[in-house]
């Protein structure tokens, strides 16, 4: 595992029990569209890569699918198994799947592609384990200017802090936010019938402070970036984010941030 992979692994081991508190209701908004895009239904076999707390795998099982979830974090596998004891979860790497060729009818990756050291290799592995005519489907966040919950943080760090704060270099976070890049990559790997769409999602917090604290304690790359800032820079970033959140305040004082997702899917010939 390279430096970026080790960094991501250590981070997800630490946030396995808190991630869902912050991201669960948000990422749940695209579960059903993602399963539809992968043609997951009764009798189909599904591999859910980067299965996290297991919600997508659990929803697929409710459809009558035969589901296996895989995650590189043993802590996440434990958490998912606790939540969905009837689903098989295992530990493993997206770039080196421990399954034979043509083992599954569908492969899903819900927001995991952003965290892989080599996303192209992971997609190639997805194709390898798919049966002919099987579908792969994945979600990523939309561009930073539209996925406001992340975009505002990135912008504040860029303006007021140090955006190159010694983190291991990884793939561009928003690479697949471009539907064209999704199509080029999937087509280049030999997939056909490539489709992309955008899923409108809203990230709701009780307050702007709760949003900032949530990002700081339940993400990996962004949280590490915030921790790496000086005390002075972090104070300025926090003040800027509190101000930036004002246009997104609801009548009850909550904050509702647009967080659209790009959903891409394709078929193995």
């Amino acid at each position: 595992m390279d430096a970026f992979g080790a960094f991501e692994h250590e981070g997800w081991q630490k946030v396995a029990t808190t991630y869902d508190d912050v991201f669960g209701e948000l990422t749940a908004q695209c579960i059903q569209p993602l399963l539809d895009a992968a043609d997951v239904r009764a009798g189909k076999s599904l591999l859910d890569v980067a299965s996290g707390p297991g919600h997508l795998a659990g929803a697929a099982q409710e459809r009558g699918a035969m589901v296996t979830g895989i995650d590189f974090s043993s802590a996440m596998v434990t958490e998912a198994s606790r939540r969905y004891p009837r689903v098989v979860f295992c530990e493993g790497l997206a770039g080196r799947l421990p399954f034979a060729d043509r083992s599954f009818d569908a492969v899903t990756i819900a927001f995991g592609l952003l965290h892989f050291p080599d996303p192209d290799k992971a997609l190639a592995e997805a194709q390898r384990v798919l049966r002919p005519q099987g579908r792969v489907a994945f979600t990523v966040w939309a561009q930073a200017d539209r996925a406001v919950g992340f975009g505002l943080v990135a912008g504040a760090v860029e303006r007021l802090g140090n955006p190159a704060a010694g983190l291991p270099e990884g793939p561009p976070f928003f690479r697949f936010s471009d539907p064209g890049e999704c199509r080029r990559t999937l087509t280049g790997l030999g997939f056909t019938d490539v489709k992309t769409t955008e899923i409108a999602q809203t990230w709701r917090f009780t307050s702007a402070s709760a949003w900032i604290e949530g990002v700081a304690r339940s993400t990996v790359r962004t949280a590490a970036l915030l921790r790496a800032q000086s005390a002075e820079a972090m104070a300025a970033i926090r003040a800027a984010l509190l101000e930036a959140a004002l246009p997104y305040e609801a009548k009850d004082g909550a904050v509702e941030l647009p967080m659209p997702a790009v959903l891409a899917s394709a078929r193995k010939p």
Side-chain angles (χ1 to χ4, degrees), residues 3 19 35-36 64 84 86 104 126 129 134 140 147 176 226 249:
Y19 170 81
L35 292 176
D36 289 342
Y84 302 98
R86 294 190 299 158
F104 299 94
V129 301
V140 295
F176 291 101
L226 293 176
E249 283 190 357

Side-chain angles (χ1 to χ4, degrees), residues 162-167 224-225 228-229:
N162 177 10
L167 274 62
L225 182 63
Q229 305 304 312

Side-chain angles (χ1 to χ4, degrees), residues 204-219:
R204 180 178 170 87
F205 290 89
T206 55
S207 67
S209 292
W211 159 52
I212 299 168
E213 292 163 8
V215 170
R217 69 183 176 88
S218 295
T219 62

Side-chain angles (χ1 to χ4, degrees), residues 20-35:
D20 197 53
D21 295 338
V22 176
F23 283 89
E25 291 186 5
L26 171 61
T27 56
Q29 294 171 47
C30 68
I31 286 177
Q32 297 304 328
L34 185 52
L35 292 176

Side-chain angles (χ1 to χ4, degrees), residues 132-148:
Q133 302 306 308
R135 292 198 69 86
V136 63
F138 64 81
T139 47
V140 295
W141 305 112
Q143 294 284 0
D145 61 339
R146 307 192 57 244
V148 170

